Amino acid sequence: MAAASRPVTGVAWAVLVLGLWLWNREAGEGPGRSSGPVTGDIAAVGRPYGAELPPAHAPIAPAEPRRLEIPSLGIAAPVVPRGLDAAGAIDPPPYETPGTVGWFAPGTRPGAAGAALFVGHVDTETRPAVFYGLSAARPGAKVRLTRTDGTVAEFTVDDVQVFPRDRFDPAKAYGPRDPDRPELRLITCGGTFDRATGTYTANVVVSGYLTATEKAPADD
């Protein structure tokens, strides 16, 4: 997420997570669960027609994430758990650490069935942040999560969507495509920056599903 100043950033996050709160309340099962597959109302960006993606991996023992990598985008960043602040909005990664990814810890842990949620700033007042290039992700890209149990869970991107803020559908953004498989959502701000309202006009939501797992290198 991002904005031109700290107060604007707070507004941007609050709008996004209000949707999360409303969806969670309606679902009644916690973030990352829903009654069935859903799809977004915005066409996937760059999805090749008939592209073959690898089969889904069965759920594995869930563990907390500590590092996220998207090699095709040059993203490699530490992951920190985040919750909700006193106002009921997600507590984003600190502005002082724009290269950090936040994981919504009260929700799904990577490896479990459901959608694990990850958020990151797109920029700061002076420079690009960790998810600056996220909108360039394409189906087939790999997202690698090093976890606290010493394993790497590899997810494959299968959907990239841009949701206009005025038509944001939390169920479509956060709900799993298949509630029985492990998935993730990578979320940041997108569209253009509206100086009149102090927010970005859209959210980029990258979806992926678990396709492989391996032991983490000894130095990770």
Side-chain angles (χ1 to χ4, degrees), residues 85-98:
D85 63 20
I90 199 169
D91 188 18
Y95 234 74
E96 293 74 21
T97 57

Side-chain angles (χ1 to χ4, degrees), residues 6-159:
R6 292 172 190 265
V8 170
T9 298
V11 171
W13 278 104
V15 170
L16 179 64
V17 180
L18 174 62
L20 169 62
W21 179 80
L22 291 172
W23 172 72
N24 183 29
R25 184 180 181 187
E26 291 174 359
E29 297 179 299
R33 303 294 295 175
S34 74
S35 59
V38 295
T39 57
D41 59 353
I42 302 298
V45 177
R47 179 194 291 273
Y49 179 76
E52 291 189 13
L53 297 176
H57 194 289
I60 58 177
E64 294 188 11
R66 61 187 183 90
R67 185 173 178 81
L68 182 148
E69 299 176 66
I70 310 177
S72 63
L73 300 181
I75 294 174
V79 175
V80 294
R82 310 303 289 175
L84 298 179
D85 63 20
I90 199 169
D91 188 18
Y95 234 74
E96 293 74 21
T97 57
T100 299
V101 174
W103 163 59
F104 186 59
T108 300
R109 292 188 176 191
L117 306 179
F118 295 85
V119 292
H121 295 290
V122 68
D123 60 18
T124 70
E125 295 175 346
T126 59
R127 57 176 168 158
V130 62
F131 278 168
Y132 183 77
L134 188 63
S135 62
R138 293 294 180 264
K142 304 301 181 184
V143 181
R144 294 171 57 83
L145 286 175
T146 301
R147 311 187 311 159
T148 53
D149 65 351
T151 64
V152 176
E154 185 174 88
F155 292 75
T156 297
V157 172
D158 63 348
D159 201 20

Side-chain angles (χ1 to χ4, degrees), residues 1-3 12-13 16 75 98 100-101 118-123 129-136 160-163 165 168 174 185-191 200-206:
M1 313 297 293
W13 278 104
L16 179 64
I75 294 174
T100 299
V101 174
F118 295 85
V119 292
H121 295 290
V122 68
D123 60 18
V130 62
F131 278 168
Y132 183 77
L134 188 63
S135 62
V160 183
Q161 300 180 67
V162 179
F163 290 91
R165 244 178 230 292
F168 190 84
Y174 303 124
R185 300 290 179 270
L186 310 177
I187 306 165
T188 193
C189 290
Y200 278 84
T201 59
N203 284 109
V204 175
V205 180
V206 172

